[in-house]
Amino acid sequence: MPTALKLREVPDLSEGVGIIDIGSNSVRLVVYADHRRTPIPIFNEKVLCGLGRTVGTTGQLDPAGIDRALAALARFRGLTRALGIANVDAVATAAVREASNGDYFIERAEHLCGTRISILSGQDEARYAAEGVLAGFPDADGIVGDLGGGSLELVDIANGRYGEGVTLPVGPLRLMDLSGNDIGKARKLVTDAFSKMDWKPEKSAKNFYAVGGNWRNLARMHMHGEDYPLRILQAYSVRKSEAVEIARLVSGQSAKSLERVPDISRKRLETLPYAALVLEKTLETIGASKMVISAYGVREGLLYARLTAEERRVDPLLSWSKGVGRRLGRFPEHGEELERFTAPLFKTGPLMTADKDERRLHQAACHLSDMAWRIHPDYRSQHVLTEILRAPMSGIDHAGRVYLGLAVANRYRSGLGTGDHDHVLALLNEDRTRRASAVGLALRLGHTISAGAPKLVTGFRLKPEPGMLTLLVPSAKRDLLGEAVAKRLSALARALGVEADIEVSDV
């Protein structure tokens, strides 16, 4: 008999994976609880070392950057050992690949971090960046651009596949080095690099998936300027014209003037104008209609590349939702029971026009619908709305987050007061807001019938018809009917614009 007292699954960190990414600008360790379809990061630390700061002019890694990087790697080894992470992958990118003292650095670095370090080629970087974007956007269609400190990788992506890609020597640190910190000279370097590029997209790009810390900071600036209500970078989209406009604005600013801009990393100030130059030229060249921020890149791509073909086909949103349901719900199997109970609403009636994406959101809501049972009842709806809006999940856009959050919040309280989230809810149109609320009320009905326990709702069926919603009740379970069930059914029917009825039937 399952017990409701097991609140969570304690991750077995012996199955955890550590990824050490030695880039031209930063050295980072991310530890994931495992390498399943939706990796859960449990630790993330970066040190901006600037290894590639002098590679362009001297051909060697920056001496001060080497010292900082080696110190960071020694700490990372201590952390992974303390956490019991035996599976550690380490990679190095453009700066180490091109520097004449790269091999010397790698020898010292491998000794300190206790693992072999793979030096990625430009093609490798493009491939893993594309894999990372696919991990977060299974239906990605467009071009991936991964901007590191030393280079830019571009690669086509569509239908779960990616092309050969190209590497351009236009990373911000390299541009600063080669131009002597002259933005005008840097612009010419960028123009020359693109003019020599022996690569063209296979087709006109629909989306440009921007990967890299500097471009994420440009997106933060855009969010601030738009007073955007949901400060989640993953899947944040910007029209091409607006992205070019902010890139031109930033490329004309000094680090000193950018200090006054909120929401951007102070440590990125000197590289941001150069990253903006590259973004402007990239968008002008590839012609995508909008820029989409991907928080997933090479590190997530390394994990995604480990998966089997079958594991890759798993929906990341549903994988995450089911995982949360297992950890936080009382009875994990109840999610699938609620799927079956509420599914008829999508086959006929007001919700039958739901598209594939909305049906995914309905499934996810079923598995998340018991995540707040241990929270004080007065705060459950607000709690789940906040948690879902800000959750580290993928395979969902910002409007989808609002839909999912509203659905699960309405499972706990009908007509909830949204408080601090009023502006966020404006990201969802009125029709989808009503539909999300109806999904939540259907889940509320299911939980009322079953008291949140497994198997009790099995046999109950919803029968939507023109003007009527009937709850079919098996005669053996008629004792589960009551005033609370009738009240919940009536609330759902009102939300769907129909009448409610209850019928005891074994048919």
PDB file of all heavy atoms in Angstrom, residues 390-425:
ATOM      1  N   ARG A 390       7.955  29.822 -12.149  1.00  0.00           N
ATOM      2  CA  ARG A 390       9.396  30.014 -11.995  1.00  0.00           C
ATOM      3  C   ARG A 390      10.197  28.722 -12.039  1.00  0.00           C
ATOM      4  O   ARG A 390      11.404  28.732 -11.788  1.00  0.00           O
ATOM      5  CB  ARG A 390       9.657  30.730 -10.664  1.00  0.00           C
ATOM      6  CG  ARG A 390       9.000  32.101 -10.594  1.00  0.00           C
ATOM      7  CD  ARG A 390       9.120  32.732  -9.223  1.00  0.00           C
ATOM      8  NE  ARG A 390       8.453  34.033  -9.172  1.00  0.00           N
ATOM      9  CZ  ARG A 390       8.311  34.762  -8.079  1.00  0.00           C
ATOM     10  NH1 ARG A 390       8.796  34.313  -6.927  1.00  0.00           N
ATOM     11  NH2 ARG A 390       7.696  35.923  -8.121  1.00  0.00           N
ATOM     12  N   ALA A 391       9.561  27.620 -12.365  1.00  0.00           N
ATOM     13  CA  ALA A 391      10.228  26.317 -12.312  1.00  0.00           C
ATOM     14  C   ALA A 391      11.300  26.184 -13.391  1.00  0.00           C
ATOM     15  O   ALA A 391      11.158  26.715 -14.489  1.00  0.00           O
ATOM     16  CB  ALA A 391       9.199  25.208 -12.466  1.00  0.00           C
ATOM     17  N   PRO A 392      12.372  25.418 -13.107  1.00  0.00           N
ATOM     18  CA  PRO A 392      13.435  25.182 -14.096  1.00  0.00           C
ATOM     19  C   PRO A 392      13.058  24.066 -15.059  1.00  0.00           C
ATOM     20  O   PRO A 392      13.662  23.000 -15.073  1.00  0.00           O
ATOM     21  CB  PRO A 392      14.623  24.781 -13.216  1.00  0.00           C
ATOM     22  CG  PRO A 392      13.997  24.089 -12.044  1.00  0.00           C
ATOM     23  CD  PRO A 392      12.696  24.814 -11.797  1.00  0.00           C
ATOM     24  N   MET A 393      12.026  24.311 -15.866  1.00  0.00           N
ATOM     25  CA  MET A 393      11.564  23.287 -16.807  1.00  0.00           C
ATOM     26  C   MET A 393      11.782  23.755 -18.234  1.00  0.00           C
ATOM     27  O   MET A 393      12.036  24.937 -18.489  1.00  0.00           O
ATOM     28  CB  MET A 393      10.085  22.979 -16.567  1.00  0.00           C
ATOM     29  CG  MET A 393       9.156  24.181 -16.628  1.00  0.00           C
ATOM     30  SD  MET A 393       7.443  23.718 -16.293  1.00  0.00           S
ATOM     31  CE  MET A 393       6.708  25.330 -15.997  1.00  0.00           C
ATOM     32  N   SER A 394      11.666  22.821 -19.161  1.00  0.00           N
ATOM     33  CA  SER A 394      11.843  23.133 -20.580  1.00  0.00           C
ATOM     34  C   SER A 394      10.703  22.508 -21.365  1.00  0.00           C
ATOM     35  O   SER A 394       9.821  21.860 -20.810  1.00  0.00           O
ATOM     36  CB  SER A 394      13.201  22.613 -21.069  1.00  0.00           C
ATOM     37  OG  SER A 394      13.263  21.196 -20.939  1.00  0.00           O
ATOM     38  N   GLY A 395      10.733  22.723 -22.673  1.00  0.00           N
ATOM     39  CA  GLY A 395       9.658  22.209 -23.508  1.00  0.00           C
ATOM     40  C   GLY A 395       8.368  22.985 -23.344  1.00  0.00           C
ATOM     41  O   GLY A 395       7.285  22.462 -23.611  1.00  0.00           O
ATOM     42  N   ILE A 396       8.461  24.248 -22.923  1.00  0.00           N
ATOM     43  CA  ILE A 396       7.281  25.064 -22.666  1.00  0.00           C
ATOM     44  C   ILE A 396       7.662  26.525 -22.859  1.00  0.00           C
ATOM     45  O   ILE A 396       8.752  26.950 -22.499  1.00  0.00           O
ATOM     46  CB  ILE A 396       6.754  24.800 -21.233  1.00  0.00           C
ATOM     47  CG1 ILE A 396       5.418  25.501 -20.980  1.00  0.00           C
ATOM     48  CG2 ILE A 396       7.776  25.199 -20.181  1.00  0.00           C
ATOM     49  CD1 ILE A 396       4.748  25.084 -19.679  1.00  0.00           C
ATOM     50  N   ASP A 397       6.753  27.302 -23.443  1.00  0.00           N
ATOM     51  CA  ASP A 397       7.010  28.735 -23.600  1.00  0.00           C
ATOM     52  C   ASP A 397       6.403  29.481 -22.422  1.00  0.00           C
ATOM     53  O   ASP A 397       5.823  28.884 -21.504  1.00  0.00           O
ATOM     54  CB  ASP A 397       6.501  29.250 -24.944  1.00  0.00           C
ATOM     55  CG  ASP A 397       4.998  29.078 -25.132  1.00  0.00           C
ATOM     56  OD1 ASP A 397       4.281  28.828 -24.129  1.00  0.00           O
ATOM     57  OD2 ASP A 397       4.522  29.186 -26.283  1.00  0.00           O
ATOM     58  N   HIS A 398       6.498  30.795 -22.439  1.00  0.00           N
ATOM     59  CA  HIS A 398       6.044  31.570 -21.287  1.00  0.00           C
ATOM     60  C   HIS A 398       4.525  31.550 -21.135  1.00  0.00           C
ATOM     61  O   HIS A 398       4.006  31.461 -20.015  1.00  0.00           O
ATOM     62  CB  HIS A 398       6.563  33.003 -21.390  1.00  0.00           C
ATOM     63  CG  HIS A 398       8.035  33.097 -21.103  1.00  0.00           C
ATOM     64  ND1 HIS A 398       8.655  34.290 -20.820  1.00  0.00           N
ATOM     65  CD2 HIS A 398       9.007  32.149 -21.036  1.00  0.00           C
ATOM     66  CE1 HIS A 398       9.944  34.072 -20.600  1.00  0.00           C
ATOM     67  NE2 HIS A 398      10.174  32.789 -20.729  1.00  0.00           N
ATOM     68  N   ALA A 399       3.799  31.617 -22.241  1.00  0.00           N
ATOM     69  CA  ALA A 399       2.347  31.526 -22.158  1.00  0.00           C
ATOM     70  C   ALA A 399       1.933  30.152 -21.632  1.00  0.00           C
ATOM     71  O   ALA A 399       0.968  30.029 -20.869  1.00  0.00           O
ATOM     72  CB  ALA A 399       1.713  31.784 -23.523  1.00  0.00           C
ATOM     73  N   GLY A 400       2.679  29.131 -22.007  1.00  0.00           N
ATOM     74  CA  GLY A 400       2.404  27.784 -21.511  1.00  0.00           C
ATOM     75  C   GLY A 400       2.601  27.677 -20.015  1.00  0.00           C
ATOM     76  O   GLY A 400       1.846  26.972 -19.320  1.00  0.00           O
ATOM     77  N   ARG A 401       3.608  28.365 -19.491  1.00  0.00           N
ATOM     78  CA  ARG A 401       3.811  28.384 -18.033  1.00  0.00           C
ATOM     79  C   ARG A 401       2.591  28.975 -17.322  1.00  0.00           C
ATOM     80  O   ARG A 401       2.157  28.474 -16.284  1.00  0.00           O
ATOM     81  CB  ARG A 401       5.053  29.219 -17.690  1.00  0.00           C
ATOM     82  CG  ARG A 401       6.381  28.551 -17.971  1.00  0.00           C
ATOM     83  CD  ARG A 401       7.535  29.498 -17.689  1.00  0.00           C
ATOM     84  NE  ARG A 401       8.813  28.867 -17.949  1.00  0.00           N
ATOM     85  CZ  ARG A 401       9.552  28.237 -17.037  1.00  0.00           C
ATOM     86  NH1 ARG A 401       9.135  28.186 -15.778  1.00  0.00           N
ATOM     87  NH2 ARG A 401      10.698  27.693 -17.352  1.00  0.00           N
ATOM     88  N   VAL A 402       2.064  30.055 -17.899  1.00  0.00           N
ATOM     89  CA  VAL A 402       0.902  30.696 -17.282  1.00  0.00           C
ATOM     90  C   VAL A 402      -0.306  29.757 -17.333  1.00  0.00           C
ATOM     91  O   VAL A 402      -1.036  29.601 -16.344  1.00  0.00           O
ATOM     92  CB  VAL A 402       0.584  32.029 -17.973  1.00  0.00           C
ATOM     93  CG1 VAL A 402      -0.655  32.667 -17.357  1.00  0.00           C
ATOM     94  CG2 VAL A 402       1.774  32.985 -17.859  1.00  0.00           C
ATOM     95  N   TYR A 403      -0.540  29.121 -18.468  1.00  0.00           N
ATOM     96  CA  TYR A 403      -1.650  28.167 -18.605  1.00  0.00           C
ATOM     97  C   TYR A 403      -1.521  27.064 -17.560  1.00  0.00           C
ATOM     98  O   TYR A 403      -2.488  26.759 -16.838  1.00  0.00           O
ATOM     99  CB  TYR A 403      -1.631  27.575 -20.019  1.00  0.00           C
ATOM    100  CG  TYR A 403      -2.772  26.630 -20.333  1.00  0.00           C
ATOM    101  CD1 TYR A 403      -3.789  27.019 -21.202  1.00  0.00           C
ATOM    102  CD2 TYR A 403      -2.835  25.352 -19.785  1.00  0.00           C
ATOM    103  CE1 TYR A 403      -4.846  26.154 -21.499  1.00  0.00           C
ATOM    104  CE2 TYR A 403      -3.872  24.483 -20.089  1.00  0.00           C
ATOM    105  CZ  TYR A 403      -4.869  24.899 -20.944  1.00  0.00           C
ATOM    106  OH  TYR A 403      -5.906  24.047 -21.245  1.00  0.00           O
ATOM    107  N   LEU A 404      -0.342  26.463 -17.484  1.00  0.00           N
ATOM    108  CA  LEU A 404      -0.130  25.350 -16.560  1.00  0.00           C
ATOM    109  C   LEU A 404      -0.293  25.803 -15.111  1.00  0.00           C
ATOM    110  O   LEU A 404      -0.923  25.120 -14.293  1.00  0.00           O
ATOM    111  CB  LEU A 404       1.260  24.767 -16.797  1.00  0.00           C
ATOM    112  CG  LEU A 404       1.642  23.506 -16.018  1.00  0.00           C
ATOM    113  CD1 LEU A 404       0.638  22.384 -16.262  1.00  0.00           C
ATOM    114  CD2 LEU A 404       3.043  23.050 -16.427  1.00  0.00           C
ATOM    115  N   GLY A 405       0.274  26.962 -14.782  1.00  0.00           N
ATOM    116  CA  GLY A 405       0.159  27.477 -13.428  1.00  0.00           C
ATOM    117  C   GLY A 405      -1.288  27.760 -13.048  1.00  0.00           C
ATOM    118  O   GLY A 405      -1.728  27.434 -11.936  1.00  0.00           O
ATOM    119  N   LEU A 406      -2.055  28.362 -13.978  1.00  0.00           N
ATOM    120  CA  LEU A 406      -3.464  28.652 -13.704  1.00  0.00           C
ATOM    121  C   LEU A 406      -4.271  27.374 -13.519  1.00  0.00           C
ATOM    122  O   LEU A 406      -5.143  27.287 -12.644  1.00  0.00           O
ATOM    123  CB  LEU A 406      -4.056  29.459 -14.855  1.00  0.00           C
ATOM    124  CG  LEU A 406      -3.968  30.977 -14.767  1.00  0.00           C
ATOM    125  CD1 LEU A 406      -4.591  31.594 -16.011  1.00  0.00           C
ATOM    126  CD2 LEU A 406      -4.672  31.488 -13.525  1.00  0.00           C
ATOM    127  N   ALA A 407      -4.005  26.374 -14.364  1.00  0.00           N
ATOM    128  CA  ALA A 407      -4.748  25.120 -14.271  1.00  0.00           C
ATOM    129  C   ALA A 407      -4.558  24.480 -12.897  1.00  0.00           C
ATOM    130  O   ALA A 407      -5.529  24.107 -12.234  1.00  0.00           O
ATOM    131  CB  ALA A 407      -4.313  24.167 -15.375  1.00  0.00           C
ATOM    132  N   VAL A 408      -3.301  24.366 -12.460  1.00  0.00           N
ATOM    133  CA  VAL A 408      -3.045  23.710 -11.182  1.00  0.00           C
ATOM    134  C   VAL A 408      -3.517  24.581 -10.020  1.00  0.00           C
ATOM    135  O   VAL A 408      -4.021  24.075  -9.014  1.00  0.00           O
ATOM    136  CB  VAL A 408      -1.556  23.354 -11.046  1.00  0.00           C
ATOM    137  CG1 VAL A 408      -1.295  22.620  -9.729  1.00  0.00           C
ATOM    138  CG2 VAL A 408      -1.106  22.471 -12.216  1.00  0.00           C
ATOM    139  N   ALA A 409      -3.408  25.894 -10.143  1.00  0.00           N
ATOM    140  CA  ALA A 409      -3.893  26.780  -9.086  1.00  0.00           C
ATOM    141  C   ALA A 409      -5.407  26.659  -8.916  1.00  0.00           C
ATOM    142  O   ALA A 409      -5.925  26.637  -7.790  1.00  0.00           O
ATOM    143  CB  ALA A 409      -3.506  28.222  -9.391  1.00  0.00           C
ATOM    144  N   ASN A 410      -6.134  26.558 -10.037  1.00  0.00           N
ATOM    145  CA  ASN A 410      -7.585  26.402  -9.950  1.00  0.00           C
ATOM    146  C   ASN A 410      -7.997  25.031  -9.443  1.00  0.00           C
ATOM    147  O   ASN A 410      -9.121  24.860  -8.990  1.00  0.00           O
ATOM    148  CB  ASN A 410      -8.232  26.674 -11.309  1.00  0.00           C
ATOM    149  CG  ASN A 410      -8.508  28.144 -11.529  1.00  0.00           C
ATOM    150  OD1 ASN A 410      -9.504  28.673 -11.070  1.00  0.00           O
ATOM    151  ND2 ASN A 410      -7.596  28.816 -12.235  1.00  0.00           N
ATOM    152  N   ARG A 411      -7.121  24.069  -9.528  1.00  0.00           N
ATOM    153  CA  ARG A 411      -7.399  22.781  -8.908  1.00  0.00           C
ATOM    154  C   ARG A 411      -7.542  22.942  -7.397  1.00  0.00           C
ATOM    155  O   ARG A 411      -8.287  22.220  -6.736  1.00  0.00           O
ATOM    156  CB  ARG A 411      -6.282  21.785  -9.246  1.00  0.00           C
ATOM    157  CG  ARG A 411      -6.280  20.493  -8.407  1.00  0.00           C
ATOM    158  CD  ARG A 411      -5.367  20.646  -7.207  1.00  0.00           C
ATOM    159  NE  ARG A 411      -5.178  19.473  -6.409  1.00  0.00           N
ATOM    160  CZ  ARG A 411      -5.919  19.113  -5.362  1.00  0.00           C
ATOM    161  NH1 ARG A 411      -6.990  19.790  -5.023  1.00  0.00           N
ATOM    162  NH2 ARG A 411      -5.588  18.068  -4.651  1.00  0.00           N
ATOM    163  N   TYR A 412      -6.824  23.924  -6.831  1.00  0.00           N
ATOM    164  CA  TYR A 412      -6.871  24.143  -5.384  1.00  0.00           C
ATOM    165  C   TYR A 412      -7.920  25.164  -4.962  1.00  0.00           C
ATOM    166  O   TYR A 412      -8.481  25.069  -3.884  1.00  0.00           O
ATOM    167  CB  TYR A 412      -5.500  24.586  -4.879  1.00  0.00           C
ATOM    168  CG  TYR A 412      -4.514  23.455  -4.825  1.00  0.00           C
ATOM    169  CD1 TYR A 412      -3.512  23.342  -5.776  1.00  0.00           C
ATOM    170  CD2 TYR A 412      -4.607  22.482  -3.836  1.00  0.00           C
ATOM    171  CE1 TYR A 412      -2.614  22.290  -5.731  1.00  0.00           C
ATOM    172  CE2 TYR A 412      -3.727  21.425  -3.788  1.00  0.00           C
ATOM    173  CZ  TYR A 412      -2.726  21.332  -4.738  1.00  0.00           C
ATOM    174  OH  TYR A 412      -1.841  20.277  -4.689  1.00  0.00           O
ATOM    175  N   ARG A 413      -8.171  26.166  -5.816  1.00  0.00           N
ATOM    176  CA  ARG A 413      -9.143  27.191  -5.437  1.00  0.00           C
ATOM    177  C   ARG A 413      -9.732  27.806  -6.696  1.00  0.00           C
ATOM    178  O   ARG A 413      -9.013  28.350  -7.525  1.00  0.00           O
ATOM    179  CB  ARG A 413      -8.503  28.274  -4.586  1.00  0.00           C
ATOM    180  CG  ARG A 413      -9.465  29.406  -4.214  1.00  0.00           C
ATOM    181  CD  ARG A 413      -8.826  30.414  -3.296  1.00  0.00           C
ATOM    182  NE  ARG A 413      -8.521  29.819  -2.003  1.00  0.00           N
ATOM    183  CZ  ARG A 413      -7.914  30.479  -1.027  1.00  0.00           C
ATOM    184  NH1 ARG A 413      -7.549  31.734  -1.204  1.00  0.00           N
ATOM    185  NH2 ARG A 413      -7.665  29.878   0.115  1.00  0.00           N
ATOM    186  N   SER A 414     -11.034  27.731  -6.803  1.00  0.00           N
ATOM    187  CA  SER A 414     -11.723  28.309  -7.953  1.00  0.00           C
ATOM    188  C   SER A 414     -11.740  29.829  -7.837  1.00  0.00           C
ATOM    189  O   SER A 414     -11.960  30.370  -6.754  1.00  0.00           O
ATOM    190  CB  SER A 414     -13.150  27.773  -8.027  1.00  0.00           C
ATOM    191  OG  SER A 414     -13.884  28.426  -9.026  1.00  0.00           O
ATOM    192  N   GLY A 415     -11.506  30.505  -8.977  1.00  0.00           N
ATOM    193  CA  GLY A 415     -11.559  31.964  -8.981  1.00  0.00           C
ATOM    194  C   GLY A 415     -10.531  32.571  -8.069  1.00  0.00           C
ATOM    195  O   GLY A 415     -10.804  33.521  -7.338  1.00  0.00           O
ATOM    196  N   LEU A 416      -9.318  32.025  -8.100  1.00  0.00           N
ATOM    197  CA  LEU A 416      -8.267  32.463  -7.186  1.00  0.00           C
ATOM    198  C   LEU A 416      -7.917  33.923  -7.388  1.00  0.00           C
ATOM    199  O   LEU A 416      -7.961  34.448  -8.491  1.00  0.00           O
ATOM    200  CB  LEU A 416      -7.009  31.615  -7.379  1.00  0.00           C
ATOM    201  CG  LEU A 416      -6.204  31.828  -8.669  1.00  0.00           C
ATOM    202  CD1 LEU A 416      -4.799  31.296  -8.477  1.00  0.00           C
ATOM    203  CD2 LEU A 416      -6.842  31.101  -9.840  1.00  0.00           C
ATOM    204  N   GLY A 417      -7.559  34.583  -6.304  1.00  0.00           N
ATOM    205  CA  GLY A 417      -6.984  35.920  -6.411  1.00  0.00           C
ATOM    206  C   GLY A 417      -5.522  35.780  -6.781  1.00  0.00           C
ATOM    207  O   GLY A 417      -4.792  35.030  -6.143  1.00  0.00           O
ATOM    208  N   THR A 418      -5.078  36.453  -7.811  1.00  0.00           N
ATOM    209  CA  THR A 418      -3.731  36.212  -8.330  1.00  0.00           C
ATOM    210  C   THR A 418      -2.680  37.120  -7.720  1.00  0.00           C
ATOM    211  O   THR A 418      -1.490  36.876  -7.881  1.00  0.00           O
ATOM    212  CB  THR A 418      -3.722  36.391  -9.861  1.00  0.00           C
ATOM    213  OG1 THR A 418      -4.266  37.673 -10.164  1.00  0.00           O
ATOM    214  CG2 THR A 418      -4.569  35.315 -10.512  1.00  0.00           C
ATOM    215  N   GLY A 419      -3.079  38.188  -7.043  1.00  0.00           N
ATOM    216  CA  GLY A 419      -2.133  39.018  -6.309  1.00  0.00           C
ATOM    217  C   GLY A 419      -1.002  39.525  -7.154  1.00  0.00           C
ATOM    218  O   GLY A 419      -1.199  40.217  -8.150  1.00  0.00           O
ATOM    219  N   ASP A 420       0.221  39.151  -6.778  1.00  0.00           N
ATOM    220  CA  ASP A 420       1.417  39.652  -7.437  1.00  0.00           C
ATOM    221  C   ASP A 420       1.559  39.163  -8.870  1.00  0.00           C
ATOM    222  O   ASP A 420       2.428  39.637  -9.600  1.00  0.00           O
ATOM    223  CB  ASP A 420       2.659  39.241  -6.643  1.00  0.00           C
ATOM    224  CG  ASP A 420       2.708  39.893  -5.274  1.00  0.00           C
ATOM    225  OD1 ASP A 420       2.038  40.929  -5.107  1.00  0.00           O
ATOM    226  OD2 ASP A 420       3.397  39.366  -4.388  1.00  0.00           O
ATOM    227  N   HIS A 421       0.740  38.217  -9.288  1.00  0.00           N
ATOM    228  CA  HIS A 421       0.899  37.625 -10.614  1.00  0.00           C
ATOM    229  C   HIS A 421      -0.025  38.214 -11.667  1.00  0.00           C
ATOM    230  O   HIS A 421      -0.085  37.704 -12.785  1.00  0.00           O
ATOM    231  CB  HIS A 421       0.669  36.106 -10.527  1.00  0.00           C
ATOM    232  CG  HIS A 421       1.637  35.401  -9.642  1.00  0.00           C
ATOM    233  ND1 HIS A 421       2.996  35.448  -9.839  1.00  0.00           N
ATOM    234  CD2 HIS A 421       1.447  34.634  -8.540  1.00  0.00           C
ATOM    235  CE1 HIS A 421       3.603  34.738  -8.895  1.00  0.00           C
ATOM    236  NE2 HIS A 421       2.689  34.236  -8.096  1.00  0.00           N
ATOM    237  N   ASP A 422      -0.738  39.279 -11.350  1.00  0.00           N
ATOM    238  CA  ASP A 422      -1.699  39.842 -12.300  1.00  0.00           C
ATOM    239  C   ASP A 422      -1.055  40.180 -13.643  1.00  0.00           C
ATOM    240  O   ASP A 422      -1.604  39.890 -14.703  1.00  0.00           O
ATOM    241  CB  ASP A 422      -2.351  41.101 -11.720  1.00  0.00           C
ATOM    242  CG  ASP A 422      -3.342  40.773 -10.605  1.00  0.00           C
ATOM    243  OD1 ASP A 422      -3.758  39.604 -10.527  1.00  0.00           O
ATOM    244  OD2 ASP A 422      -3.684  41.668  -9.820  1.00  0.00           O
ATOM    245  N   HIS A 423       0.120  40.809 -13.609  1.00  0.00           N
ATOM    246  CA  HIS A 423       0.783  41.208 -14.860  1.00  0.00           C
ATOM    247  C   HIS A 423       1.262  39.990 -15.654  1.00  0.00           C
ATOM    248  O   HIS A 423       1.232  39.997 -16.885  1.00  0.00           O
ATOM    249  CB  HIS A 423       1.959  42.128 -14.568  1.00  0.00           C
ATOM    250  CG  HIS A 423       1.556  43.438 -13.957  1.00  0.00           C
ATOM    251  ND1 HIS A 423       0.681  44.296 -14.573  1.00  0.00           N
ATOM    252  CD2 HIS A 423       1.894  44.034 -12.780  1.00  0.00           C
ATOM    253  CE1 HIS A 423       0.497  45.374 -13.822  1.00  0.00           C
ATOM    254  NE2 HIS A 423       1.216  45.228 -12.720  1.00  0.00           N
ATOM    255  N   VAL A 424       1.668  38.941 -14.962  1.00  0.00           N
ATOM    256  CA  VAL A 424       2.124  37.737 -15.651  1.00  0.00           C
ATOM    257  C   VAL A 424       0.968  37.085 -16.397  1.00  0.00           C
ATOM    258  O   VAL A 424       1.130  36.588 -17.518  1.00  0.00           O
ATOM    259  CB  VAL A 424       2.742  36.731 -14.646  1.00  0.00           C
ATOM    260  CG1 VAL A 424       3.201  35.473 -15.361  1.00  0.00           C
ATOM    261  CG2 VAL A 424       3.908  37.371 -13.917  1.00  0.00           C
ATOM    262  N   LEU A 425      -0.212  37.085 -15.796  1.00  0.00           N
ATOM    263  CA  LEU A 425      -1.356  36.430 -16.414  1.00  0.00           C
ATOM    264  C   LEU A 425      -1.735  37.073 -17.732  1.00  0.00           C
ATOM    265  O   LEU A 425      -2.394  36.450 -18.577  1.00  0.00           O
ATOM    266  CB  LEU A 425      -2.542  36.444 -15.445  1.00  0.00           C
ATOM    267  CG  LEU A 425      -2.316  35.727 -14.105  1.00  0.00           C
ATOM    268  CD1 LEU A 425      -3.599  35.672 -13.313  1.00  0.00           C
ATOM    269  CD2 LEU A 425      -1.758  34.333 -14.322  1.00  0.00           C
TER     270      LEU A 425
END
